[in-house]
Amino acid sequence: MNTFRKILVGMDLSDTDYALLTYARFMGERFPIEKAYFFHVSPGLEVPNGNENFYKEMEIPSIPPDEQIRVRMESEVGRKIKPGLFDTEFDVVEGSVTRQLLHWSEIKKVDMVILGKKFSNESSGISARRFLRNAPCSVLFVPEKVKTTVRKLLVTTDFSMDSTLALKQAIDFASTFDPAPEIQLLNIYQVPDGVHYQIGRTYAHFAQMIRDNIRDYMQKYLMQIEHKGIRIEPIMIQNNYMNIARHIYEFASSQQSDMLLIGAKGHSALTSFLVGSVTEKTLAYDFDIPIWVIRPLSGFATEKPDTEEKFQKTI
């Protein structure tokens, strides 16, 4: 299972930072995090032209902008995170937000990046897509609205290795709370068109066969997962919208989920949990809950459930 020891928090000096620091504290209280890097990326750090004389006339010390920002960051973190929870480092860099965060995530070899949810909506999601496709680690997208309690976690699954890792991560996370939140394991399945004619069944009959097959598989699948005393509720929804992300959004909203965990990629042509498709489309919805995209740590091999290959052959 992923063990988070180093995290990177992308601060933008807006109200979102309050939520980012809240979840950085959550993670520090629940995982053996040793160090947190707090980064702010600015498009430019030069003093605006024409303001140099203003500083002189007003006898205001001309403090370099990066130092001003760093002091502000240290103050914000100091108010929200108790000293000693983990080591901290503050960095202010100049350039493209996406490019710099990717670069420093790799340089610092972090295990998780925490970003504001609005980052996922910049430029119609281009920033999020590029970041997710290239991020070397898990990414937690946090909305401005802070959830102070965690009672229900939602995990999406296509039974791939990455979605299995997301479920195990949810179990580990849930086990750090008292009382522990429940986990809803959501599979959104699709009934192939036209196949029922070939096997001499009605569409309704064939759809029920698919559902029964997935239900039986989910039971076998969950028997191989160490629950650690956490309640896991399997849920199946037929993809009637032909839009998995929409189903995820509507289900999470109706259930008032406190966090969504999703694997970074999948394999199934039927459920298609691929970065660049479902995960990115899900981020584009107006979620007011954190979305945690789980990626294996470098060198970490996810165990493949014994029943997975059989399931892929029978569905």
Side-chain angles (χ1 to χ4, degrees), residues 19-34:
L20 293 175
L21 298 181
T22 296
Y23 282 95
R25 189 193 68 217
F26 271 3
M27 294 302 168
E29 292 171 345
R30 286 161 176 81
F31 295 102
I33 294 175
E34 299 171 356

Side-chain angles (χ1 to χ4, degrees), residues 130-149:
R130 183 181 174 197
F131 194 89
L132 283 174
R133 288 175 180 177
N134 295 280
C137 57
S138 298
V139 185
L140 175 62
F141 290 99
V142 177
E144 290 189 20
K145 182 180 179 180
V146 176
K147 291 275 188 176
T148 56
T149 57

Side-chain angles (χ1 to χ4, degrees), residues 20 38 105 121 148 171 214 219 230 305 309:
L20 293 175
F38 296 93
S105 297
N121 293 322
T148 56
I171 293 170
I214 295 175
Q219 293 176 353
I230 306 301
E309 185 176 351

